[in-house]
Amino acid sequence: MYRKLCFGLLAVTLLQGCATYVEHKLLNRVEPLGIPANMPEIIAELGGESRQFCMPHLGGCTEYLYGAPIKDETGRSFSFTAVGDDKTIEYKLALDRKQIPEARRGTMVMLHGYGGSKETMFFLADYYRFIGFHVVIPDLKGHGGSSHDTPGFAVEDADMITTLIDSLPARERPHPIYLTGFSMGALAAVHVARQRNDISGMVLLAPMRQFEDAVYEVTKMTYKNTSKIVSEKSIREGVRNALVTKEIDPSSLDLHQVLPPVKVPTLILASDVDPVGPYDYFEALNSRYVTVKLIQDRHHFLMGIMDPKMHEHLYTWLQKQR
């Protein structure tokens, strides 16, 4: 009996330690996803500008990318090669001005996901620039060039994003203003739209499902060894504890709760094989304001890569908003 009790107490202690580890990881600066070392040079060559924006009243600074519309090119090609464990997939799209006539489109503010950065959104930004948008891509709190040591979990990023938008000269953020958000950035986009009355539309790419579920699924995908050691129960407990520490209501990170009250035209693109933001989780959100489209057989981290099907859904929807 004594031996069983000791093993039981040891198990409880280990589980509590694992939950604390998860909480600690979530509440500290996010480890960046790998990006090419020459990415700043690539962005500069493509016409992007890297800038810093400081917000004394919000307690810190962040970096952001700005890009003007591409008007001097008759065509643009987009290509990306995804190398997986068992297959390699190439995504390609070629556009010319006959398909994309020049038009005044406004500004697209782009918000990366958890673990990403402004740089991870720039290739999609290049597509937006070619079809006529000014683009603005900030680093979210606790990511990239942000001076904050703790992530904002979408909710706390909204004040920073809306302040940045307001700080830009009118020539760099002409109306209409749209938001594009990927994964957690999709939730940040919705919270920005809830604060403002000048958002004309939102594009939500692979928006994450309920935060607790999303963190568990991402852990299984990207930290396979950790997910074998740390139990699902501990991961979920660590997530809940992190939100309590940040005083964030879990319902504020559930698209089913925060999106319906926002009467802004919204396009959701989701995949049928993405456990983080599955299509069938969002299908019920189809409404007068919300359009949900399926992107088949697309990994979560590839949902921001442009190809003919993505272009068809996105460009067609944008044309309807004019």
Side-chain angles (χ1 to χ4, degrees):
M1 173 66 85
Y2 175 76
R3 189 174 183 181
K4 288 182 179 179
L5 179 61
C6 286
F7 278 124
L9 290 173
L10 177 61
V12 170
T13 302
L14 288 174
L15 286 175
Q16 288 176 338
C18 289
T20 301
Y21 170 77
V22 172
E23 179 185 0
H24 173 78
K25 292 292 287 184
L26 287 172
L27 292 178
N28 281 273
R29 189 168 191 85
V30 181
E31 297 175 4
L33 296 172
I35 59 173
N38 64 337
M39 193 64 186
E41 289 79 10
I42 293 173
I43 291 172
E45 288 175 5
L46 291 173
E49 299 177 25
S50 183
R51 303 173 176 177
Q52 187 180 63
F53 174 64
C54 291
M55 308 146 286
H57 68 292
L58 297 178
C61 300
T62 197
E63 293 179 0
Y64 70 97
L65 297 173
Y66 166 77
I70 297 170
K71 298 180 178 180
D72 57 352
E73 296 186 20
T74 58
R76 196 78 159 179
S77 296
F78 307 90
S79 63
F80 184 87
T81 301
V83 180
D85 294 333
D86 56 352
K87 61 180 178 180
T88 298
I89 305 174
E90 291 189 359
Y91 299 94
K92 294 183 177 181
L93 175 66
L95 298 176
D96 60 42
R97 285 295 172 209
K98 293 180 181 178
Q99 299 165 284
I100 310 294
E102 290 187 39
R104 179 182 180 275
R105 300 208 181 264
T107 303
M108 186 67 73
V109 179
M110 305 179 66
L111 308 174
H112 63 77
Y114 184 90
S117 67
K118 58 188 180 300
E119 290 83 5
T120 60
M121 300 292 282
F122 194 77
F123 289 120
L124 178 59
D126 206 41
Y127 166 83
Y128 279 133
R129 293 172 64 214
F130 185 72
I131 66 174
F133 283 101
H134 295 253
V135 296
V136 179
I137 319 171
D139 279 319
L140 302 185
K141 287 186 174 183
H143 293 74
S146 165
S147 67
H148 295 88
D149 292 327
T150 303
F153 298 108
V155 177
E156 295 181 356
D157 290 301
D159 286 343
M160 178 270 290
I161 296 162
T162 201
T163 304
L164 171 59
I165 293 171
D166 290 338
S167 76
L168 294 168
R171 67 179 182 279
E172 292 185 351
R173 57 160 177 84
H175 285 71
I177 297 176
Y178 289 85
L179 305 171
T180 288
F182 167 72
S183 196
M184 181 178 280
L187 270 295
V190 175
H191 283 283
V192 172
R194 288 166 67 98
Q195 286 190 359
R196 303 181 68 92
N197 59 9
D198 61 351
I199 301 301
S200 294
M202 294 187 289
V203 178
L204 309 182
L205 303 174
M208 68 176 188
R209 61 197 302 173
Q210 291 174 319
F211 187 54
E212 187 179 316
D213 294 333
V215 172
Y216 175 62
E217 294 297 342
V218 168
T219 302
K220 287 198 298 182
M221 281 196 307
T222 58
Y223 303 102
K224 294 180 180 179
N225 292 332
T226 300
S227 63
K228 292 176 182 178
I229 300 172
V230 183
S231 70
E232 177 179 351
K233 180 180 179 182
S234 294
I235 292 172
R236 292 182 179 278
E237 182 182 346
V239 172
R240 291 193 293 269
N241 291 344
L243 293 183
V244 169
T245 299
K246 294 286 287 184
E247 299 182 347
I248 294 176
D249 186 338
S251 66
S252 66
L253 294 177
D254 182 0
L255 208 63
H256 282 271
Q257 302 296 318
V258 298
L259 181 58
V262 182
K263 308 304 181 185
V264 170
T266 300
L267 173 65
I268 296 175
L269 297 180
S271 170
D272 54 346
V273 296
D274 177 8
V276 181
Y279 170 78
D280 57 6
Y281 183 79
F282 302 109
E283 189 177 10
L285 288 172
N286 269 303
S287 66
R288 174 186 173 188
Y289 290 98
V290 180
T291 301
V292 185
K293 292 292 186 179
L294 170 65
I295 301 294
Q296 291 184 323
D297 197 29
R298 185 73 73 95
H299 190 281
H300 180 71
F301 295 122
L302 298 176
M303 282 297 293
I305 303 302
M306 192 53 58
D307 70 352
K309 181 56 68 175
M310 289 277 286
H311 167 66
E312 177 187 345
H313 287 317
L314 183 50
Y315 189 71
T316 300
W317 180 83
L318 285 168
Q319 288 294 90
K320 292 178 180 178
Q321 310 313 312
R322 294 177 62 185

